[in-house]
Amino acid sequence: GRQLIHELIAKAQATACHAIFLEVQADNVAAISLYNAFGFTKVGVRHAYYADLSGKKHNAEVLRLDLSTGSVGQSQDSAPAD
């Protein structure tokens, strides 16, 4: 988890990317919390973006990490990588 995000951010910065966008299922509290710890912020919602095996639709939150700031990718949690 955390190590993968660290590597994603490092590679994006190394290639001069200005931002990273991702989608996460809106009820995936653990993942959203992890992304927020790295500085990702909610910028939108994709309604009925995911469907589970029963066909129930779930929204996705669109998250963005601005790489133009100096403190990106610094997780507030010092727990070991997943």
Side-chain angles (χ1 to χ4, degrees):
R2 284 175 181 68
Q3 184 62 36
L4 182 62
I5 296 170
H6 276 295
E7 291 180 26
L8 169 67
I9 292 168
K11 292 209 183 267
Q13 289 173 321
T15 59
C17 289
H18 298 284
I20 298 172
F21 288 87
L22 58 83
E23 295 98 11
V24 60
Q25 191 165 312
D27 60 0
N28 189 340
V29 177
I32 292 169
S33 180
L34 176 64
Y35 297 134
N36 287 340
F38 279 91
F40 283 86
T41 58
K42 181 178 171 181
V43 295
V45 175
R46 297 179 194 237
H47 298 281
Y49 190 71
Y50 297 108
D52 62 23
L53 294 176
S54 72
K56 181 180 176 185
K57 301 287 185 168
H58 300 272
N59 292 342
E61 290 189 2
V62 180
L63 305 179
R64 179 181 191 270
L65 178 64
D66 182 2
L67 296 176
S68 64
T69 64
S71 62
V72 296
Q74 303 300 317
S75 173
Q76 303 301 316
D77 187 350
S78 60
D82 295 336

